[in-house]
């Protein structure tokens, strides 16, 4: 919940677009953009309202599947020409692909914190490797708290030509 200054504690901001507009005024700009992108993914019908409210900017289109993915894409991967949500036959969808072979996966806690999801991710990585792909997998903590190591790893993989 998010309250507007000057309102009583029992009055919550009325709608999602208003809440996002308020949040964008007090949050770290990248976090606000990620929130708008996530909202757009869940509610594409809000596109015109978000546009009218001035909340849509370049790159905010709802294609990323999480705020963490959006932050990685917005910070670096879009400038590198990464494709989002790429379908690989026999494996399924991957978060990002650079060139023909470099896959970037961003793992948040919501869908990657159980033993079964951990094993599933490793199985997918092994399948992708067998098909000739190189996979880099980063956590929420790395993307939000240790961005320099994420960027260094991606740039090193590109310098080696892992994407071709």
């Amino acid at each position: 919940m998010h309250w507007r200054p000057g309102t009583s504690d029992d009055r919550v901001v009325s709608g999602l677009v208003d809440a996002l507009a308020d949040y964008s005024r007090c949050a770290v700009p990248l976090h606000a953009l990620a929130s708008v992108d996530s909202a757009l993914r869940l509610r594409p019908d809000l596109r015109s309202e978000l546009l009218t409210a001035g909340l849509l900017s370049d790159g905010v289109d709802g294609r990323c599947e999480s705020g963490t993915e959006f932050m990685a894409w917005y910070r670096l991967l879009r400038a590198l020409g990464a494709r989002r949500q790429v379908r690989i036959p026999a494996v399924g969808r991957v978060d990002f692909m650079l060139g023909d072979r470099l896959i970037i996966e961003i793992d948040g806690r919501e869908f990657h914190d159980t033993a079964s999801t951990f094993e599933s991710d490793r199985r997918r990585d092994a399948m992708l490797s067998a098909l000739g792909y190189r996979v880099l997998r980063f956590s929420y903590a790395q993307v939000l708290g240790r961005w320099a190591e994420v960027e260094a790893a991606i740039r090193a993989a590109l310098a080696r030509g892992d994407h071709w």
Side-chain angles (χ1 to χ4, degrees):
M1 296 194 308
H2 190 81
W3 284 269
R4 282 197 171 120
T7 63
S8 66
D9 287 348
D10 62 345
R11 188 168 154 238
V12 181
V13 172
S14 61
L16 179 58
V17 174
D18 287 338
L20 287 168
D22 281 352
Y23 182 61
S24 71
R25 286 189 283 278
C26 63
V28 172
L30 182 60
H31 295 184
L33 288 174
S35 296
V36 172
D37 192 74
S38 293
L40 190 56
R41 177 168 185 76
L42 296 172
R43 295 279 312 274
D45 58 301
L46 292 178
R47 180 177 296 282
S48 63
E49 285 183 65
L50 292 167
L51 185 60
T52 300
L55 296 173
L56 289 185
S57 67
D58 184 38
V60 177
D61 60 15
R63 280 194 280 167
C64 289
E65 291 190 332
S66 72
T68 311
E69 277 182 30
F70 177 84
M71 287 187 248
W73 179 78
Y74 196 85
R75 281 179 165 164
L76 175 67
L77 296 172
R78 71 182 177 144
L80 297 175
R83 296 183 314 277
R84 295 176 278 176
Q85 305 306 319
V86 176
R87 185 161 296 282
I88 307 290
V91 176
R93 199 171 55 238
V94 298
D95 296 337
F96 302 101
M97 184 180 293
L98 286 161
D100 296 327
R101 296 287 167 203
L102 181 58
I103 292 171
I104 311 292
E105 293 278 60
I106 307 294
D107 297 340
R109 284 185 179 235
E110 186 175 357
F111 298 108
H112 299 275
D113 68 343
T114 65
S116 64
T117 55
F118 181 88
E119 287 303 318
S120 175
D121 287 342
R122 295 330 172 265
R123 180 184 53 78
R124 282 173 44 94
D125 290 354
M127 291 171 63
L128 288 163
S129 182
L131 293 170
Y133 294 96
R134 165 84 157 104
V135 179
L136 293 176
R137 186 174 291 278
F138 302 104
S139 70
Y140 169 91
Q142 287 175 296
V143 171
L144 268 71
R146 300 189 314 270
W147 177 252
E149 74 185 42
V150 172
E151 184 171 354
I154 293 169
R155 290 194 184 279
L158 291 173
R160 283 191 305 271
D162 291 356
H163 56 307
W164 306 120

